Amino acid sequence: MARDKYQTLTEQMFYILICLTQESCGVDIMKKVEELTNGRVIIGPGTLYSLLDNFVKEKIIIETKIENRRKNYVITSHGTEMIEKEYLRVTKLKNDYEMLIKGGKEQ
């Protein structure tokens, strides 16, 4: 059985999708991700627009409007389910780390 293409999300995918909980264009997404991560994650235009095209094809996001070359997007319910699953997966990793490495102690 083939592995689901989006079973886990890269950081770039995750940040793009959380940015699209509010309607945004590509340039706005790149700025939001850089600001949100204090420059730790930077998404170049090639990566961004490739991912946006794939997300549209997979119905993870939809185009909301097109003005000249500027396209706006927003996440779909399917996309929202994906980021929620990813959040739960990463939270489970964090919890396992704390249990095994930190001995379950809160810091």
Side-chain angles (χ1 to χ4, degrees), residues 8-10 12 15 20-22 24 26 31 42-43 55 57 59 67 71 74 76-78 94 104-105:
T8 60
L9 302 177
T10 65
Q12 291 88 352
Y15 283 111
L20 289 174
T21 58
Q22 298 177 338
S24 299
K31 288 179 187 173
I42 296 179
I43 303 172
F55 288 161
K57 287 176 190 167
K59 297 178 177 30
E67 295 174 349
K71 295 179 182 180
V74 71
T76 63
S77 59
H78 174 55
K94 173 192 160 286
K105 297 176 186 172

Short mmCIF file of all heavy atoms in Angstrom, two decimals, residues 8-10 12 15 20-22 24 26 31 42-43 55 57 59 67 71 74 76-78 94 104-105:
data_model
loop_
_atom_site.label_atom_id
_atom_site.label_comp_id
_atom_site.label_asym_id
_atom_site.label_seq_id
_atom_site.Cartn_x
_atom_site.Cartn_y
_atom_site.Cartn_z
N THR A 8 2.82 13.12 6.60
CA THR A 8 3.50 14.08 7.47
C THR A 8 3.83 15.29 6.61
O THR A 8 4.01 15.19 5.41
CB THR A 8 4.80 13.51 8.08
OG1 THR A 8 5.69 13.16 7.03
CG2 THR A 8 4.52 12.31 8.96
N LEU A 9 3.88 16.45 7.25
CA LEU A 9 4.13 17.70 6.53
C LEU A 9 5.53 18.21 6.84
O LEU A 9 6.00 18.08 7.97
CB LEU A 9 3.11 18.76 6.95
CG LEU A 9 1.64 18.42 6.74
CD1 LEU A 9 0.76 19.55 7.27
CD2 LEU A 9 1.34 18.17 5.27
N THR A 10 6.16 18.79 5.84
CA THR A 10 7.42 19.48 6.10
C THR A 10 7.09 20.77 6.85
O THR A 10 5.94 21.21 6.89
CB THR A 10 8.14 19.82 4.79
OG1 THR A 10 7.35 20.76 4.05
CG2 THR A 10 8.42 18.58 3.96
N GLN A 12 7.83 23.74 5.88
CA GLN A 12 7.32 24.69 4.90
C GLN A 12 5.84 24.45 4.63
O GLN A 12 5.04 25.39 4.61
CB GLN A 12 8.11 24.61 3.59
CG GLN A 12 9.52 25.11 3.69
CD GLN A 12 10.51 24.03 4.11
OE1 GLN A 12 10.16 22.92 4.48
NE2 GLN A 12 11.78 24.37 4.06
N TYR A 15 3.70 25.55 7.74
CA TYR A 15 3.59 27.00 7.89
C TYR A 15 2.76 27.63 6.79
O TYR A 15 1.99 28.57 7.05
CB TYR A 15 4.96 27.66 7.99
CG TYR A 15 5.58 27.48 9.36
CD1 TYR A 15 6.68 26.67 9.56
CD2 TYR A 15 5.02 28.12 10.47
CE1 TYR A 15 7.23 26.50 10.82
CE2 TYR A 15 5.57 27.95 11.73
CZ TYR A 15 6.66 27.15 11.90
OH TYR A 15 7.19 26.99 13.16
N LEU A 20 -2.62 30.05 5.73
CA LEU A 20 -3.82 30.11 4.89
C LEU A 20 -5.11 29.87 5.67
O LEU A 20 -6.17 29.72 5.07
CB LEU A 20 -3.69 29.14 3.71
CG LEU A 20 -2.68 29.62 2.67
CD1 LEU A 20 -2.47 28.57 1.59
CD2 LEU A 20 -3.11 30.95 2.06
N THR A 21 -5.04 29.88 6.99
CA THR A 21 -6.27 29.91 7.76
C THR A 21 -6.93 31.28 7.59
O THR A 21 -8.10 31.46 7.91
CB THR A 21 -6.05 29.59 9.26
OG1 THR A 21 -5.12 30.52 9.80
CG2 THR A 21 -5.54 28.16 9.43
N GLN A 22 -6.13 32.23 7.07
CA GLN A 22 -6.65 33.54 6.65
C GLN A 22 -6.26 33.70 5.18
O GLN A 22 -5.14 33.37 4.80
CB GLN A 22 -6.03 34.67 7.47
CG GLN A 22 -6.35 34.61 8.94
CD GLN A 22 -5.66 35.72 9.70
OE1 GLN A 22 -4.66 36.28 9.26
NE2 GLN A 22 -6.20 36.04 10.86
N SER A 24 -4.74 34.66 1.89
CA SER A 24 -3.45 35.31 1.65
C SER A 24 -2.99 35.02 0.23
O SER A 24 -3.36 34.02 -0.37
CB SER A 24 -2.39 34.78 2.60
OG SER A 24 -2.72 35.03 3.94
N GLY A 26 0.66 34.69 -2.27
CA GLY A 26 1.98 34.08 -2.09
C GLY A 26 2.97 34.97 -1.38
O GLY A 26 3.68 34.54 -0.48
N LYS A 31 6.11 36.34 3.68
CA LYS A 31 6.39 37.30 4.76
C LYS A 31 5.91 36.79 6.10
O LYS A 31 6.62 36.88 7.11
CB LYS A 31 5.72 38.64 4.45
CG LYS A 31 6.37 39.42 3.34
CD LYS A 31 5.62 40.71 3.08
CE LYS A 31 6.15 41.44 1.86
NZ LYS A 31 5.32 42.61 1.53
N ILE A 42 12.43 30.08 5.89
CA ILE A 42 12.23 30.99 4.76
C ILE A 42 11.82 30.13 3.57
O ILE A 42 12.47 29.13 3.26
CB ILE A 42 13.50 31.79 4.46
CG1 ILE A 42 13.82 32.68 5.66
CG2 ILE A 42 13.36 32.58 3.17
CD1 ILE A 42 15.05 33.52 5.54
N ILE A 43 10.74 30.52 2.94
CA ILE A 43 10.23 29.78 1.79
C ILE A 43 10.45 30.61 0.54
O ILE A 43 9.93 31.73 0.44
CB ILE A 43 8.73 29.45 1.96
CG1 ILE A 43 8.50 28.67 3.25
CG2 ILE A 43 8.22 28.67 0.75
CD1 ILE A 43 7.04 28.48 3.61
N PHE A 55 -1.15 21.80 -3.58
CA PHE A 55 -2.23 21.88 -2.60
C PHE A 55 -3.58 22.15 -3.27
O PHE A 55 -4.60 21.60 -2.86
CB PHE A 55 -1.94 22.97 -1.56
CG PHE A 55 -0.85 22.64 -0.58
CD1 PHE A 55 -0.23 23.66 0.13
CD2 PHE A 55 -0.43 21.34 -0.33
CE1 PHE A 55 0.77 23.40 1.06
CE2 PHE A 55 0.56 21.05 0.59
CZ PHE A 55 1.17 22.09 1.29
N LYS A 57 -4.40 21.26 -6.38
CA LYS A 57 -4.75 20.02 -7.07
C LYS A 57 -5.33 18.98 -6.11
O LYS A 57 -6.24 18.24 -6.46
CB LYS A 57 -3.53 19.43 -7.78
CG LYS A 57 -3.12 20.19 -9.00
CD LYS A 57 -1.84 19.62 -9.61
CE LYS A 57 -1.32 20.55 -10.69
NZ LYS A 57 0.05 20.21 -11.09
N LYS A 59 -6.94 19.67 -3.38
CA LYS A 59 -8.08 20.28 -2.68
C LYS A 59 -7.78 20.54 -1.19
O LYS A 59 -8.65 20.46 -0.34
CB LYS A 59 -9.34 19.45 -2.86
CG LYS A 59 -9.78 19.37 -4.32
CD LYS A 59 -11.00 18.52 -4.48
CE LYS A 59 -11.55 18.44 -5.87
NZ LYS A 59 -10.75 18.55 -7.01
N GLU A 67 -6.11 38.47 -9.31
CA GLU A 67 -6.02 39.84 -9.82
C GLU A 67 -4.68 39.96 -10.51
O GLU A 67 -3.63 39.91 -9.86
CB GLU A 67 -6.12 40.86 -8.69
CG GLU A 67 -7.47 40.86 -7.99
CD GLU A 67 -7.50 41.78 -6.79
OE1 GLU A 67 -6.44 42.27 -6.35
OE2 GLU A 67 -8.61 41.99 -6.26
N LYS A 71 -2.58 35.75 -6.97
CA LYS A 71 -3.62 34.80 -6.59
C LYS A 71 -3.73 34.75 -5.07
O LYS A 71 -2.71 34.74 -4.39
CB LYS A 71 -3.31 33.39 -7.10
CG LYS A 71 -3.28 33.27 -8.60
CD LYS A 71 -2.95 31.84 -9.00
CE LYS A 71 -2.86 31.70 -10.50
NZ LYS A 71 -2.54 30.32 -10.90
N VAL A 74 -7.02 30.14 0.33
CA VAL A 74 -7.46 29.88 1.70
C VAL A 74 -7.53 28.36 1.87
O VAL A 74 -7.75 27.62 0.91
CB VAL A 74 -8.81 30.57 2.01
CG1 VAL A 74 -9.98 29.91 1.29
CG2 VAL A 74 -9.06 30.66 3.50
N THR A 76 -8.86 24.65 2.94
CA THR A 76 -10.16 23.97 2.93
C THR A 76 -10.32 23.17 4.22
O THR A 76 -9.37 23.06 5.02
CB THR A 76 -10.24 22.98 1.74
OG1 THR A 76 -9.23 21.96 1.93
CG2 THR A 76 -10.06 23.69 0.40
N SER A 77 -11.47 22.56 4.40
CA SER A 77 -11.67 21.71 5.59
C SER A 77 -10.71 20.52 5.56
O SER A 77 -10.20 20.11 6.60
CB SER A 77 -13.12 21.26 5.71
OG SER A 77 -13.51 20.53 4.56
N HIS A 78 -10.43 20.00 4.37
CA HIS A 78 -9.47 18.90 4.24
C HIS A 78 -8.08 19.37 4.71
O HIS A 78 -7.39 18.66 5.46
CB HIS A 78 -9.41 18.43 2.79
CG HIS A 78 -8.37 17.40 2.50
ND1 HIS A 78 -8.27 16.21 3.18
CD2 HIS A 78 -7.35 17.39 1.60
CE1 HIS A 78 -7.24 15.52 2.71
NE2 HIS A 78 -6.66 16.22 1.75
N LYS A 94 6.71 15.45 21.01
CA LYS A 94 7.14 16.28 22.15
C LYS A 94 6.85 15.56 23.46
O LYS A 94 7.70 15.51 24.35
CB LYS A 94 6.42 17.62 22.11
CG LYS A 94 6.67 18.50 23.32
CD LYS A 94 5.69 19.67 23.30
CE LYS A 94 5.52 20.31 24.62
NZ LYS A 94 4.75 19.58 25.61
N GLY A 104 9.41 12.90 32.30
CA GLY A 104 8.07 13.38 32.55
C GLY A 104 8.01 14.64 33.38
O GLY A 104 6.95 15.07 33.80
N LYS A 105 9.16 15.25 33.66
CA LYS A 105 9.20 16.45 34.49
C LYS A 105 8.96 17.69 33.63
O LYS A 105 9.52 17.82 32.55
CB LYS A 105 10.55 16.58 35.18
CG LYS A 105 10.83 15.45 36.14
CD LYS A 105 12.22 15.59 36.72
CE LYS A 105 12.54 14.36 37.57
NZ LYS A 105 13.92 14.34 37.99
#
